[in-house]
Amino acid sequence: MSDTSRYDLLLKGGHTICAKNGIDGRMDVAIHKGKIAALETDIDPSLAEKTVDVTGLYVTPGLIDIHVHVYHTREPEGLSVMADSHSFRSGVTTFVDTGTAGARHFLHFKRTVIDLAKTRIFAFVNIVDQGMIGDFEQDPANFDPELCAGTVLAYPDICVGVKTAHYWARQPFDDIHTPWAAVDKGVEASKLCGKPLMVDFWPRPERTYPELILEKMQPGDIHTHVFAQQFPIVDEAGKPNDFLFKARERGVIFDLGHGAGSFWFRNAVPAMQNGFSPDSISTDLHIRNVHGVVVDMLTTMNKILNIGMPLAEVIYRSTLTPAQEIGHPELGHLSVGAEADVAVLRMQTGEFGFVDCGKAKIQGDRKLECAMTLRAGEIVYDPDGMSVPLWQDAPPAYWTLPF
Ligand SMILES: [Zn+2]
């Protein structure tokens, strides 16, 4: 790099969207030493070592997906995907693993996945000490609030809260007599560590959804899978039920958490068209939905976009709100000084289908694709070669063999 350059990289000519800075329009973004160095309408390219022309593209904060499963080294079996294989190609720079690991495997998860990944990975720790694995999740004897909270507090830079999930009425365990055990223990752990609880839930007559969100969950807790089929989101006329707004008033957060079975247009479309949208958009990415019906973060965002949420709000709910929900306000925006996690997105127009978990679809006319991703200022995804020269213009030895 030349000594006179003020910036390492300049993204020039793009339409920048950054809710925190109130930006939704033409704005250049300059990056230096891994941080956002300037955010101005017209930055001189001579100040930058490298300039990438992003005219016609959207420049947004790196996307933050707060519901994924990326503990791919888990034995004996797992449903996790490898984080770096699925993040940057969809504009995602931060993943939050939601309870794949419990306290007993957390150090292994950290050493074999989190510490090695280029993607920033945070985690909710499962209230089940063995994590997300088979029948362990059904036995309340495995729910250990002190161990869970202790783990969260032991890794404050990684752990963002507690997760509870998959607590069914299944013999031989007697959870039918303790229907709230998983939620109650999760709340207890959450209070002990002072971080939010993320809840995956299946209502039954002895444990209803209004009870969960109006009585059990605490302000700042996150209900994921909000548009799953099992929740009474809308009434017969398609109007969102009042208890949703009451829960939101008391601080309960609603997250999309698409998953293999938890996103249904029959809930999402009428709810959103009648004033109830998710606070954050997330995928619940794992090996059983990565090739359909979830695919990736942008595919999930495209569904919400084509239901009718404005683009700037889709970006907001995939960057700034998830960052706030997990207690990381330093992320999710392009403020000067922030780590330069950036997504460059291309809007395609045409005729597109988007599929839900019931294998039904909506037709849409807009589709975001990832054109480039930056993680801490480094270009980590550039499939069209926007940042490199034409081969005729490249220096003679333009690639050096690593041996
Ligand atoms: Zn999940």
Side-chain angles (χ1 to χ4, degrees):
M1 158 182 172
S2 96
D3 291 341
T4 54
S5 297
R6 192 185 301 172
Y7 308 124
D8 295 335
L9 178 65
L10 172 62
L11 301 176
K12 185 144 191 68
H15 180 128
T16 298
I17 299 177
C18 177
K20 187 176 180 197
N21 290 289
I23 296 167
D24 182 7
R26 166 82 172 74
M27 190 72 72
D28 293 347
V29 180
I31 290 150
H32 194 62
K33 293 191 187 304
K35 308 260 192 241
I36 304 293
L39 192 59
E40 293 165 22
T41 48
D42 189 13
I43 299 174
D44 183 352
S46 70
L47 297 175
E49 175 72 12
K50 180 192 283 283
T51 296
V52 177
D53 181 1
V54 291
T55 304
L57 303 173
Y58 291 98
V59 178
T60 79
L63 305 177
I64 300 176
D65 186 349
I66 63 163
H67 189 154
V68 299
H69 297 280
V70 292
Y71 184 8
H72 70 275
T73 54
R74 178 72 196 262
E75 298 286 348
E77 60 131 50
L79 51 69
S80 288
V81 294
M82 194 181 235
D84 289 350
S85 300
H86 297 272
S87 53
F88 303 139
R89 59 189 297 119
S90 190
V92 174
T93 49
T94 300
F95 271 152
V96 184
D97 183 276
T98 54
T100 319
R104 295 199 188 283
H105 299 84
F106 194 80
L107 189 56
H108 181 258
F109 179 32
K110 177 182 179 296
R111 284 181 175 160
T112 62
V113 175
I114 296 173
D115 291 350
L116 305 178
K118 205 153 191 172
T119 312
R120 181 189 293 100
I121 300 176
F122 295 129
F124 287 93
V125 178
N126 205 310
I127 186 62
V128 183
D129 59 1
Q130 302 272 345
M132 228 172 73
I133 188 156
D135 284 343
F136 285 103
E137 296 175 274
Q138 307 311 318
D139 186 352
N142 297 320
F143 307 160
D144 190 333
E146 286 188 9
L147 184 64
C148 179
T151 303
V152 173
L153 292 172
Y155 304 100
D157 297 338
I158 300 172
C159 296
V160 297
V162 176
K163 175 82 187 295
T164 176
H166 310 155
Y167 186 53
W168 320 117
R170 186 189 296 163
Q171 297 303 327
F173 305 107
D174 65 349
D175 74 299
I176 200 154
H177 303 299
T178 53
W180 289 105
V183 169
D184 285 343
K185 294 291 183 183
V187 169
E188 198 180 325
S190 160
K191 286 180 174 170
L192 281 171
C193 66
K195 301 213 182 210
L197 173 69
M198 179 183 267
V199 181
D200 159 309
F201 186 75
W202 197 287
R204 298 203 304 261
E206 66 275 21
R207 58 171 198 204
T208 68
Y209 184 54
E211 280 177 277
L212 174 74
I213 59 175
L214 294 177
E215 295 168 28
K216 294 286 185 180
M217 290 174 69
Q218 305 296 301
D221 289 349
I222 305 162
H223 174 227
T224 189
H225 305 314
V226 63
F227 292 141
Q229 61 174 329
Q230 68 264 32
F231 300 112
I233 297 300
V234 293
D235 64 18
E236 283 178 6
K239 198 171 146 293
N241 282 307
D242 284 346
F243 50 75
L244 294 169
F245 299 102
K246 280 190 192 139
R248 182 167 269 170
E249 258 171 47
R250 57 182 290 272
V252 169
I253 291 162
F254 296 93
D255 174 61
L256 190 76
H258 189 309
S262 300
F263 179 77
W264 297 68
F265 286 127
R266 69 185 61 168
N267 272 347
V269 174
M272 288 178 57
Q273 287 179 347
N274 290 292
F276 184 80
S277 292
D279 293 300
S280 50
I281 297 169
S282 69
T283 60
D284 188 12
L285 205 64
H286 56 72
I287 53 172
R288 293 184 204 131
N289 63 36
V290 75
H291 295 126
V293 289
V294 172
V295 183
D296 59 18
M297 182 66 171
L298 282 176
T299 304
T300 303
M301 291 162 65
N302 284 328
K303 294 174 190 182
I304 299 304
L305 178 73
N306 281 281
I307 288 173
M309 184 182 281
L311 175 62
E313 188 178 345
V314 172
I315 301 298
Y316 167 65
R317 299 195 183 285
S318 308
T319 53
L320 197 59
T321 63
Q324 290 166 343
E325 289 171 22
I326 60 170
H328 280 276
E330 78 280 12
L331 301 177
H333 53 81
L334 299 171
S335 303
V336 171
E339 194 148 284
D341 289 357
V342 183
V344 180
L345 307 174
R346 179 184 295 111
M347 182 69 83
Q348 302 282 18
T349 54
E351 282 285 304
F352 308 109
F354 300 98
V355 183
D356 76 1
C357 297
K359 302 287 169 65
K361 69 179 175 183
I362 57 168
Q363 288 296 125
D365 58 10
R366 290 182 299 162
K367 185 160 88 167
L368 286 168
E369 292 176 352
C370 186
M372 180 183 276
T373 304
L374 276 64
R375 169 78 181 93
E378 182 189 350
I379 296 168
V380 288
Y381 184 70
D382 179 17
D384 299 330
M386 291 197 303
S387 65
V388 303
L390 288 170
W391 68 271
Q392 299 95 325
D393 302 333
Y398 61 86
W399 186 63
T400 311
L401 289 170
F403 45 82

